Amino acid sequence: MISRYHLKCPGCEEMFVARLGVGPTRGTRFYLPCPECRLPIRGSMSGSELSDYRIDIDCEVLSSLDPEPDGVSVVTVDPFVPSRYEADSFAPSGAFPTMTLLRILGHDVLREFESERHQGLDAGRALWTKVRMLFQYYLQGNAEMFIRIAQEHLGLEWEPRTSHERTTVAYRALQVATTTITGTTGNSSARVLGRFARKHAAALDRHPDHALTFRRRGQAAAVLERDLFTELNRFVEHHDAWEMGLLGRFVGAEEKRAFDELVLFRDEFSTVRDLYQHGFELACKCLWPLVAAQNTVKRGSPDDFGDVHPESVAVKQRPKSLKQFDSLSNAYKIAYVAQVPGWESFAVLLDNRRRNTIGHATAHHDLQSGQVVSDKDPAGMTYLEFLGETFGVFEALSTLAQVLRASRVASSPDFDLPE
């Protein structure tokens, strides 16, 4: 829906018309540039129905002018669709937000995007509440309430009485919620987890040291498990701020050029960057089970890295054990995982070059250009690309949670494994 406002710029004091696109949201911060002096004017919106929708703009809102003065400047902003803010008609693309996605993506792709987007939004607002309760009871070790929530709220038809059964149920519920939020288009999680499951099962079957390593590390991973769930929950709590990153997964090269000419007028950079940075660092702490499984299958021991190393890793820094792998820089950890066929996606989801741009102390959202820039990367990236990077980190976290599950199951007291 498009709402029309007559506003007075607090800087140049000129009157202009703002065409503002709105949509259901738990809370969205946006900005619009004065079409006369380019001063960024901040605002916020929240609500799911017209009756309770609230829009606040940090400037004077004038009463409707009838008739409207000739030649009045117009700005077009939609926090949910990249816009061409200087437009005052229905063309070209970006001028009328409700038509922008249809014109650039086409009817079929837009339908797929909207379907996955709304499924993700619904999962973040409804399903996640139940999964969060379940996982909190799991972390507390409250078996009675865990079983109750699993049966009454998530439809589980049996009682997970053992520790490893509850671990499996908790992580399975987590997986359903997070994969619904990320959607299926461009999602590499199933491929990564499928290859890991096969490698891990083969390693457990043939090499006792593999099970012992996962048991020991799984016992020490309780804090990491809690941190991982806490971070996933923070992502979902702020889902409205980064969910538009999904759009990039439906965009080809030609469509990208069209979107690069538009601006997504969101004003949530600090919130999203915090999620991105913390999520990136935490994901890199969870990569070890992947290389452990690969090492065992290829060379018989989770600690044996052999002589196959990424070219980017200097000879003196090449690890000879998982403990040394833990001490590597994030870029090197990612390189070891990404060199395994089927796991290349981690080099995209956890792009260390992008991490350096976004995480640099000078990184900021330039409200004049709509770009995220830093001294390290003056060209920067569009805000939509920034949200896409954050979306990728959430996918990496949700995938690695299921990888970490293997070590938590292995460390269950239900299994009488030798120490």
Side-chain angles (χ1 to χ4, degrees):
M1 185 181 75
I2 303 295
S3 296
R4 193 175 179 90
Y5 293 87
H6 294 88
L7 306 177
K8 183 178 180 181
C9 175
C12 68
E13 299 186 341
E14 292 293 325
M15 188 274 284
F16 65 95
V17 172
R19 297 192 310 165
L20 185 60
V22 300
T25 177
R26 289 178 293 187
T28 294
R29 299 201 308 271
F30 65 92
Y31 72 99
L32 52 87
C34 169
E36 299 295 337
C37 69
R38 300 287 174 157
L39 177 73
I41 302 171
R42 289 179 161 91
S44 63
M45 60 177 65
S46 62
S48 56
E49 303 291 341
L50 287 177
S51 58
D52 65 2
Y53 213 89
R54 180 180 178 86
I55 297 177
D56 294 306
I57 306 174
D58 293 345
C59 69
E60 183 179 352
V61 180
L62 305 174
S63 300
S64 296
L65 302 180
D66 190 17
E68 192 174 278
D70 293 334
V72 64
S73 297
V74 177
V75 61
T76 301
V77 169
D78 189 327
F80 308 98
V81 181
S83 306
R84 190 182 302 276
Y85 63 79
E86 71 273 12
D88 59 3
S89 64
F90 289 175
S93 294
F96 199 65
T98 54
M99 294 296 295
T100 296
L101 297 183
L102 178 61
R103 286 173 171 169
I104 296 178
L105 298 179
H107 183 271
D108 291 341
V109 175
L110 176 59
R111 183 173 57 186
E112 294 173 6
F113 165 70
E114 291 288 357
S115 175
E116 290 198 19
R117 183 188 178 205
H118 288 299
Q119 287 176 9
L121 288 170
D122 290 343
R125 293 166 185 172
L127 177 60
W128 183 258
T129 302
K130 302 172 183 177
V131 172
R132 180 176 57 203
M133 278 196 299
L134 183 79
F135 214 90
Q136 286 171 331
Y137 283 129
Y138 161 72
L139 293 174
Q140 293 172 12
N142 189 333
E144 180 180 355
M145 286 304 301
F146 179 91
I147 294 172
R148 176 178 170 181
I149 296 300
Q151 293 180 333
E152 294 182 4
H153 293 273
L154 295 171
L156 191 69
E157 297 179 350
W158 56 283
E159 293 189 1
R161 290 295 180 183
T162 64
S163 176
H164 76 275
E165 287 175 340
R166 289 191 293 274
T167 299
T168 299
V169 169
Y171 276 89
R172 176 55 182 159
L174 192 71
Q175 183 179 29
V176 170
T178 57
T179 54
T180 303
I181 290 172
T182 54
T184 56
T185 300
N187 193 320
S188 62
S189 181
R191 182 170 65 255
V192 170
L193 293 177
R195 291 187 65 84
F196 171 71
R198 292 191 292 273
K199 291 176 182 291
H200 182 56
L204 288 174
D205 185 53
R206 302 171 191 167
H207 305 283
D209 284 351
H210 186 80
L212 292 177
T213 295
F214 271 68
R215 179 179 176 83
R216 287 192 297 268
R217 284 184 163 248
Q219 290 172 335
V223 173
L224 180 60
E225 176 183 64
R226 186 176 297 273
D227 290 345
L228 182 56
F229 170 73
T230 298
E231 194 61 29
L232 286 170
N233 186 56
R234 289 180 65 238
F235 264 84
V236 179
E237 286 180 340
H238 295 285
H239 187 211
D240 284 21
W242 56 270
E243 57 90 11
M244 278 300 295
L246 173 66
L247 179 59
R249 301 188 171 202
F250 292 82
V251 173
E254 184 176 344
E255 294 82 6
K256 183 181 183 303
R257 285 192 291 271
F259 280 119
D260 284 348
E261 297 177 357
L262 309 178
V263 176
L264 188 64
F265 290 92
R266 303 295 286 257
D267 187 30
E268 297 153 324
F269 175 71
S270 59
T271 297
V272 180
R273 184 173 77 162
D274 185 54
L275 290 171
Y276 175 88
Q277 288 181 299
H278 283 88
F280 193 105
E281 297 298 321
L282 190 57
C284 291
K285 293 180 180 180
C286 301
L287 292 172
W288 70 264
L290 295 171
V291 296
Q294 176 71 0
N295 288 350
T296 303
V297 167
K298 292 297 184 181
R299 292 173 287 276
S301 169
D303 286 304
D304 190 348
F305 283 79
D307 56 3
V308 180
H309 301 272
E311 293 183 2
S312 60
V313 182
V315 174
K316 291 183 179 180
Q317 293 181 285
R318 293 173 179 176
K320 297 180 180 179
S321 66
L322 285 177
K323 185 175 181 180
Q324 291 182 6
F325 176 83
D326 292 337
S327 300
L328 290 178
S329 69
N330 289 337
Y332 291 162
K333 290 179 182 177
I334 296 165
Y336 273 99
V337 172
Q339 73 176 352
V340 180
W343 296 345
E344 306 93 340
S345 58
F346 279 103
V348 178
L349 297 176
L350 302 173
D351 186 326
N352 200 65
R353 182 183 63 81
R354 293 285 205 175
R355 164 68 180 84
N356 291 338
T357 295
I358 298 168
H360 196 268
T362 62
H364 64 283
H365 183 197
D366 184 347
L367 300 186
Q368 296 293 327
S369 66
Q371 298 281 113
V372 174
V373 298
S374 69
D375 289 352
K376 191 175 185 66
D377 185 9
M381 66 186 80
T382 68
Y383 197 81
L384 188 62
E385 289 176 313
F386 167 58
L387 296 186
E389 295 293 325
T390 306
F391 200 98
V393 169
F394 179 78
E395 181 190 321
L397 282 175
S398 63
T399 302
L400 290 168
Q402 301 307 314
V403 172
L404 186 66
R405 175 176 69 173
S407 67
R408 295 299 289 154
V409 169
S411 66
S412 169
D414 304 326
F415 302 127
D416 186 22
L417 295 175
E419 297 293 341

